[in-house]
């Protein structure tokens, strides 16, 4: 490992790790992955992204305009504080085996209803206008979670369209859970 | 209402509203309060604080140093994504009346254990060093939630000490849930 190369403690399936992997790929930052099976705190990944943005500003993940930056953060926070924490593994364990799927579907539907409305006002090609932003880094991993929990995405055409557009980009592909060092063979693609 | 005066849609008891009220008080921004009884999305309040920071930079709520900024955001996200969403009203409703207190206490204890460790490394007088930051705006309302849920705070001496120091500041007092336009008379102080 070369000196100064950043280390990402990552879990292939974690939507929070994936957000950071996309940011690293977009900014062209080479890093070592150390796989960990336990994600201790979900929130800290947005702090990493903001840190990357401040120390490696190109390409920018936050728009220059303060109002658009607020829109990006509002969308990111809606996902990172409003949806993801309510359907993560530790909560689902507490909810109990037989209620997990219904619980996860409900919190994702509630969140996606709000998100779809927001995106109708902010989206261009991506979540906010036509530039990839932190909001997009949060969207794609959350849609993947929704698919794992078999959420019907037909009520969310804007979410679905943006997700599809983003998944065509290289940074979202190399960072995908199916292509990580700790991805089990049966889940590789 | 004078033109251009910002409006805060606020609920006296919401820890998320309180975070923003502290930021407004610290920055000396005059605003109208429109009380709402339903907090639709918990996360968006950090987006508001970041917007205030960018458009009204004085006094700063994020340190200048990128590493310290990351610490502030890590602490803020630990609370805003890792603790608060798991004990908010809509989740507690789903958990059911008889399990609410135990659930809330468990998620707060789990979060405060992590937070106490982080603060031992970052705190000075406040959460990160000796300047009030966004992290402090998140801490005080979360400690108030812990007290409402009768969480024993003796295992968290750093959290308790910082909380007490912050509550002595004017901005934290004028923004307190017991002094809002929609505070019911029996909860006023």
């Amino acid at each position: 490992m070369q000196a100064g190369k950043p280390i990402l403690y990552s879990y292939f399936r974690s939507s929070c790790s994936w957000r950071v992997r996309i940011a690293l790929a977009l900014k062209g930052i080479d890093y070592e992955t150390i796989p960990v099976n336990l994600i201790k705190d979900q929130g800290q990944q947005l702090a990493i992204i903001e840190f990357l943005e401040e120390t490696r500003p190109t390409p920018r993940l936050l728009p220059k305009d303060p109002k658009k930056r607020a829109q990006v953060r509002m969308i990111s926070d809606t996902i990172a504080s409003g949806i993801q924490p309510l359907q993560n593994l530790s909560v689902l364990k507490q909810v109990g085996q037989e209620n997990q799927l219904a619980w996860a579907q409900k919190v994702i539907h509630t969140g996606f209803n709000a998100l779809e409305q927001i995106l109708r006002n902010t989206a261009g090609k991506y979540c906010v206008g036509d530039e990839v932003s932190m909001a997009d880094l949060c969207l794609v991993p959350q849609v993947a979670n929704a698919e794992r929990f078999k959420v019907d995405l037909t009520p969310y055409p804007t979410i679905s369209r943006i997700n599809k557009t983003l998944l065509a980009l290289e940074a979202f592909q190399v960072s995908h859970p199916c292509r990580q060092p700790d991805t089990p063979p049966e889940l590789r693609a």
Side-chain angles (χ1 to χ4, degrees), chain A:
Chain A
M1 187 169 61
Q2 90 192 45
K5 201 172 184 180
I7 296 169
L8 181 67
Y9 295 87
S10 177
Y11 175 50
F12 78 101
R13 184 173 259 162
S14 157
S15 57
C16 303
S17 301
W18 190 6
R19 292 176 200 152
V20 177
R21 294 195 302 260
I22 303 168
L24 290 163
L26 283 169
K27 288 180 180 290
I29 300 173
D30 193 21
Y31 65 100
E32 296 286 333
T33 299
I34 296 187
V36 286
N37 227 315
L38 180 71
I39 304 303
K40 280 184 77 176
D41 188 280
Q42 308 296 336
Q44 301 182 14
Q45 280 74 11
L46 276 191
I48 295 175
I49 295 168
E50 296 267 5
F51 176 79
L52 290 176
E53 181 71 1
E54 286 168 354
T55 54
R56 296 283 289 258
T58 310
R60 59 165 64 247
L61 298 178
L62 287 168
K64 204 165 182 178
D65 173 58
K67 192 178 163 186
K68 284 198 170 167
R69 289 167 78 91
Q71 290 176 337
V72 167
R73 288 201 172 97
M74 182 177 69
I75 294 164
S76 303
D77 291 348
T78 296
I79 297 168
S81 298
I83 307 176
Q84 195 281 339
L86 303 179
Q87 50 97 84
N88 72 16
L89 285 180
S90 70
V91 170
L92 292 182
K93 253 187 227 170
Q94 287 189 64
V95 167
Q97 185 80 43
E98 71 276 27
N99 304 318
Q100 284 185 5
L101 196 66
W103 172 287
Q105 288 178 344
K106 187 177 173 180
V107 299
I108 293 173
H109 272 303
T110 304
F112 276 18
N113 279 327
L115 198 57
E116 178 74 16
Q117 295 300 322
I118 295 169
L119 291 175
R120 277 180 202 169
N121 291 312
T122 63
K125 198 171 168 186
Y126 305 120
C127 284
V128 177
D130 295 329
E131 275 175 45
V132 173
S133 73
M134 184 165 72
D136 300 298
L137 278 55
C138 295
L139 183 74
V140 168
Q142 184 58 56
V143 174
N145 281 347
E147 287 169 343
R148 280 177 56 214
F149 291 119
K150 306 185 200 318
V151 171
D152 174 19
L153 293 174
T154 51
Y156 315 114
T158 315
I159 292 174
S160 300
R161 183 209 17 111
I162 298 169
N163 181 62
K164 198 180 160 189
T165 308
L166 288 163
L167 279 173
L169 302 179
E170 173 77 6
F172 289 74
Q173 290 174 3
V174 297
S175 59
H176 197 282
C178 70
R179 289 174 63 178
Q180 298 312 303
D182 56 334
T183 310
E186 68 273 20
L187 295 178
R188 289 195 167 275

